[in-house]
Amino acid sequence: MNSINLIDSFQEFKDFKNIDRPTVISVLEEVFRSMLRKRFGTDENCDVIVNPDNGDLEIWRTRTVMEDGFSEDDDLEIELADAHKVDPDLEVGDDFIEQITLESFGRRAILAARQTLVSKILELEKDEIFKNYKDRIGEIVTGEVYQVWKKETLVLDDEGNELILPKTEQIPADYFKKGDTVRAVVLKVEMLNSNPRIIISRTAPAFLQRLFELEVPEIFDGLITIKNIVREPGERAKVAVESYDDRIDPVGACVGMKGSRIHGIVRELKNENIDVINFTNNISLYIQRALSPAKISSIKLDDETMRAAVYLKPDQVSLAIGRGGHNIKLAGKLTGYEIDVYRESSEEDEDVDLEEFSDEIDGWIIDEFRKVGLDTAKSVLALNVNELVKRTDLEEETIEEVLEILRAEFE
């Protein structure tokens, strides 16, 4: 067989993904033209014909027949005597066409071509993966855990492409082992040393948004819009939604009958507590909804400093702050306002405002307590040291000193 069968010669073709056939053929042609230039000095008078159906490739070289002794360029011309050795009917001025066989290049040239071909297609494949995933940032992907390391997990998608799930992008309760199926959102795609590095995330707000789109048809269809999402991954999330159709209750649609729609999302996020609230341009009402499940007595806004003073009954303060302070932190992020919580004290309640201790306790320490709704001595004393450390950014030693000062007031 005179044609060169590339499928047989280059078995690697069968293993390449994401590369369309015309691109592969184009690369093949260029590699062989490069071989022709090295061997004959030019490829201008050569035709490289690729059969895309069966992988056959033929190379034909054309030279002009010249009178004996008048050939000036053996790469483009051939003398009559040499041409007659192949075809006695040829005359001066005719085209001398010959087929170039793969064997004629020699083993070393063929191996070099094969190496060049493989590296070029690998390069194309990497570029294709990069472009493909660059367009999929923000989309959910599903993959299988291939390897688990201390700082990251290697996940393979359906086509065997490598996806990286860093520990920082995992929900704290996530635990993966080889073979597990993982869902995450494409967070970032970058080229590192000519290799595409695809970072996926389960903690990004976009992951929660895509899960809502999958579970709630009204969001997917655009009847309900997600205005904002804030998360403390694995702990709590707040989702503000708005409906463009007065007949649709956006919160009810997102939660579903008896929580049917939101349960699947909660399970995927390892029991993350999700509050779905109605978005409104009325900031006071928005903050009130954001602090759910706490019930607010009154609220004072300072739009210049973007601060909100929220007043609640004593039994509502802990609800507003939430476990570990997550509820109040997320409400602040969702609304864009710094929220200060104050408790309404009854006349019978003998308590002392923390400001009264400003001569003994530094102002910045009092501010730390106020940020999490602890503005009186008894509200601080009602919590143990561990809980106070969790809620504030204060050291244990500092908190113990404060508690000692406050206890002395009531002894």
Side-chain angles (χ1 to χ4, degrees):
M1 185 177 179
N2 293 325
S3 63
I4 302 169
N5 191 290
L6 294 169
I7 298 301
D8 293 337
S9 302
F10 300 94
Q11 288 297 321
E12 285 85 352
F13 286 172
K14 295 179 181 178
D15 302 325
F16 290 122
K17 312 175 291 292
N18 304 318
I19 307 294
D20 57 81
R21 201 172 184 84
T23 304
V24 173
I25 289 169
S26 173
V27 172
L28 284 171
E29 187 175 337
E30 179 50 41
V31 167
F32 275 89
R33 284 195 173 278
S34 174
M35 291 174 68
L36 289 166
R37 286 193 293 272
K38 283 181 183 175
R39 182 176 171 189
F40 301 118
T42 181
D43 66 324
E44 291 175 15
N45 58 332
C46 296
D47 291 316
V48 180
I49 303 166
V50 180
N51 185 331
D53 297 323
N54 58 18
D56 284 350
L57 179 142
E58 297 178 7
I59 301 174
W60 298 91
R61 184 185 181 210
T62 303
R63 287 184 288 173
T64 304
V65 179
M66 305 292 290
E67 286 186 21
D68 293 343
F70 282 89
S71 175
E72 296 178 353
D73 187 346
D74 290 340
D75 292 328
L76 299 173
E77 301 167 344
I78 184 171
E79 293 187 353
L80 186 60
D82 292 329
H84 279 170
K85 292 176 183 176
V86 178
D87 186 351
D89 296 330
L90 288 173
E91 298 177 2
V92 173
D94 287 348
D95 286 336
F96 177 81
I97 302 172
E98 62 181 327
Q99 185 172 9
I100 309 297
T101 62
L102 180 63
E103 293 78 13
S104 67
F105 284 101
R107 180 176 174 78
R108 186 174 294 180
I110 294 169
L111 289 174
R114 176 175 176 166
Q115 194 172 351
T116 303
L117 197 54
V118 170
S119 65
K120 281 196 176 213
I121 293 184
L122 276 173
E123 196 176 307
L124 279 170
E125 187 183 24
K126 288 174 185 176
D127 287 342
E128 198 64 31
I129 293 169
F130 177 80
K131 287 175 191 171
N132 179 27
Y133 271 96
K134 195 77 174 170
D135 294 337
R136 294 179 67 187
I137 288 176
E139 282 186 24
I140 281 185
V141 289
T142 302
E144 184 179 300
V145 173
Y146 183 72
Q147 201 160 356
V148 180
W149 297 301
K150 189 176 181 181
K151 292 186 177 179
E152 58 189 28
T153 297
L154 178 62
V155 179
L156 300 183
D157 69 7
D158 294 338
E159 295 178 338
N161 298 316
E162 295 184 355
L163 314 175
I164 301 296
L165 178 60
K167 195 72 177 172
T168 53
E169 300 300 329
Q170 296 176 28
I171 296 167
D174 277 342
Y175 174 76
F176 301 117
K177 59 184 185 297
K178 187 177 172 70
D180 284 351
T181 300
V182 177
R183 278 205 294 181
V185 73
V186 180
L187 181 69
K188 186 168 61 174
V189 182
E190 57 193 10
M191 271 292 191
L192 199 64
N193 299 325
S194 299
N195 290 309
R197 182 174 165 84
I198 302 153
I199 308 295
I200 56 176
S201 171
R202 286 172 53 78
T203 62
F207 183 49
L208 180 51
Q209 180 165 344
R210 295 292 172 260
L211 290 174
F212 265 102
E213 288 171 3
L214 290 173
E215 294 289 339
V216 185
E218 291 87 346
I219 293 178
F220 184 81
D221 294 337
L223 297 172
I224 295 174
T225 300
I226 294 176
K227 301 294 286 186
N228 196 9
I229 292 178
V230 290
R231 290 180 68 191
E232 288 285 337
E235 291 288 344
R236 198 178 196 109
K238 289 186 182 288
V239 183
V241 293
E242 185 178 36
S243 171
Y244 293 119
D245 188 332
D246 294 338
R247 295 168 298 177
I248 297 175
D249 168 24
V251 174
C254 290
V255 174
M257 190 76 71
K258 296 182 180 178
S260 57
R261 288 177 172 177
I262 208 165
H263 278 163
I265 300 173
V266 170
R267 278 196 303 273
E268 178 69 50
L269 300 182
K270 307 296 181 187
N271 295 321
E272 191 169 305
N273 194 334
I274 303 172
D275 298 329
V276 183
I277 66 169
N278 245 322
F279 175 80
T280 174
N281 288 315
N282 181 330
I283 296 298
S284 293
L285 182 56
Y286 194 29
I287 291 172
Q288 189 173 326
R289 289 172 178 172
L291 282 172
S292 174
K295 292 178 181 176
I296 294 170
S297 300
S298 61
I299 184 169
K300 290 179 184 175
L301 296 178
D302 186 337
D303 294 328
E304 284 188 14
T305 59
M306 299 288 284
R307 293 185 79 94
V310 176
Y311 297 86
L312 309 99
K313 290 180 179 176
D315 63 337
Q316 295 296 308
V317 172
S318 60
L319 285 175
I321 293 164
R323 189 177 66 180
H326 293 311
N327 198 51
I328 193 169
K329 282 179 189 172
L330 289 177
K333 286 181 184 177
L334 189 74
T335 59
Y337 274 69
E338 187 79 30
I339 301 173
D340 298 314
V341 174
Y342 298 93
R343 67 182 61 224
E344 292 181 329
S345 55
S346 60
E347 291 180 8
E348 304 89 45
D349 186 18
E350 294 180 9
D351 205 347
V352 183
D353 196 293
L354 283 183
E355 292 292 341
E356 299 291 325
F357 297 90
S358 57
D359 56 336
E360 297 177 84
I361 303 172
D362 290 341
W364 67 271
I365 295 175
I366 292 174
D367 287 342
E368 280 298 314
F369 284 114
R370 292 180 81 92
K371 280 181 189 174
V372 294
L374 305 173
D375 54 349
T376 67
K378 284 189 175 179
S379 66
V380 176
L381 289 170
L383 300 170
N384 61 40
V385 175
N386 288 339
E387 187 62 29
L388 290 169
V389 169
K390 273 187 192 175
R391 292 193 185 188
T392 67
D393 290 330
L394 299 172
E395 299 288 335
E396 187 175 328
E397 189 179 339
T398 304
I399 288 171
E400 285 175 347
E401 287 174 7
V402 170
L403 291 176
E404 197 174 321
I405 293 167
L406 299 181
R407 285 192 196 104
E409 177 67 24
F410 296 99
E411 286 175 356

